[in-house]
Amino acid sequence: MIPPSRERVHAASAAWVFVPAGAPRAEADEYLLVRHPDWTERPVQVVRTHAGRPMAEVVDEVLERARPMVDPAVPSSADVAWWVRLDAPDGLEEALVAHGARPDETVDVLARTIADAGDDEPQLHPAGDVELRWSDDLAVFADAIRLAADVFGGVATDRTALEATFPGEAAKVRGGGGGAVVAYLDGRPVGSGGVTVAGPDARLWGGVVVPEARGRGVYRAVLAARLAYAREVGADLAIVKGRVETSGPILRRAGFAAFGQERSWLLPIG
């Protein structure tokens, strides 16, 4: 398996900006601020930062525009999660620290090429009765959302909201754009992960396993399913932002290599 070039991975990482359909946003040349759904771990996020004005000025402006996005019923919305990505401008982290930001998490940017079927399957050791289902089924979609909220944190969303979103999710899964896959043991959802296919890039996200099911190969099974889906729809690069101490080691054993790190900071909106 030929590893991808550093330039290819950095370009794929820079292009990976997720904005949920209909999500409130505030945008300028230097930043993109997005209000994600309440069930996400960090609802208010700066997902892109470019060079331009002084970073201290940019941070002040983001704080002002983020205040209307705070919901008192959602404590996690009181901070801006500001991602310092591979292509972040100089001085960004210094400006965040000067404004009282605190470290949140660090992820490895990991990638691998997607080749033949036999080359794409990580070595699996799942429980014998593990079952994988995709989110083009409403019940599976609901399980994926709930697992993410339970493991990562967030406010559980109601069934009505999911039913409104589900037709688009099902169409995306069936049309080759990606979706979520959920792992079940004895009929109970214990892990999930998502993939978004953007041209030749397969963006892997949201890999979670409940604590009591860890160490049984659930994460690897979900990873293999996403790689197989990506290959079937023609993607040739898999990229993932893996948490350094949890999913990172598993991904490396599955053939992924690290191409840098990204960090998030929590900036109090005040």
Side-chain angles (χ1 to χ4, degrees):
M1 181 173 58
I2 301 173
S5 69
R6 180 180 181 85
E7 293 75 18
R8 170 75 192 279
V9 175
H10 278 231
S13 178
W16 186 353
V17 177
F18 173 63
V19 180
R25 68 174 75 185
E27 190 170 5
D29 290 343
E30 295 85 4
Y31 62 85
L32 175 57
L33 170 69
V34 180
R35 179 54 160 92
H36 291 259
D38 290 346
W39 55 263
T40 57
E41 182 182 13
R42 306 295 186 203
V44 185
Q45 297 185 26
V46 174
V47 298
R48 171 182 58 75
T49 315
H50 288 161
R53 290 174 288 162
M55 285 295 107
E57 178 183 332
V58 171
V59 174
D60 284 336
E61 183 172 302
V62 167
L63 285 171
E64 187 65 28
R65 300 186 75 178
R67 290 190 178 98
M69 298 182 179
V70 175
D71 182 347
V74 183
S76 57
S77 74
D79 292 316
V80 175
W82 200 311
W83 279 97
V84 179
R85 294 157 54 99
L86 295 180
D87 59 346
D90 293 339
L92 174 56
E93 285 188 307
E94 291 81 356
L96 291 171
V97 171
H99 281 75
R102 61 193 188 277
D104 182 28
E105 66 174 307
T106 300
V107 297
D108 286 322
V109 178
L110 300 130
R112 57 164 287 184
T113 54
I114 300 175
D116 296 331
D119 202 22
D120 267 347
E121 302 297 337
Q123 186 177 4
L124 303 180
H125 301 285
D129 56 352
V130 67
E131 180 184 3
L132 297 168
R133 306 176 196 166
W134 283 90
S135 57
D136 55 348
D137 175 279
L138 179 58
V140 177
F141 181 47
D143 285 339
I145 298 298
R146 182 178 57 78
L147 281 166
D150 288 349
V151 176
F152 287 142
V155 178
T157 192
D158 59 43
R159 185 81 171 192
T160 301
L162 290 179
E163 289 174 350
T165 306
F166 174 69
E169 175 73 8
K172 184 175 64 172
V173 174
R174 296 167 186 167
V181 61
V182 178
Y184 295 82
L185 290 175
D186 300 322
R188 186 171 65 90
V190 295
S192 68
V195 56
T196 299
V197 179
D201 300 340
R203 302 163 178 169
L204 309 182
W205 46 266
V208 299
V209 179
V210 298
E212 59 270 26
R214 291 171 185 168
R216 300 179 64 179
V218 173
Y219 186 94
R220 291 189 294 275
V222 170
L223 173 61
R226 291 181 287 170
L227 288 173
Y229 178 101
R231 182 183 61 251
E232 289 169 5
V233 299
D236 62 16
L237 177 78
I239 181 170
V240 58
K241 313 290 178 74
R243 291 184 171 180
V244 173
E245 296 180 355
T246 54
S247 58
I250 300 173
L251 290 160
R252 291 171 191 268
R253 289 195 294 271
F256 285 79
F259 290 83
Q261 289 188 333
E262 296 183 345
R263 291 169 296 280
S264 65
W265 294 80
L266 294 182
L267 180 68
I269 295 174

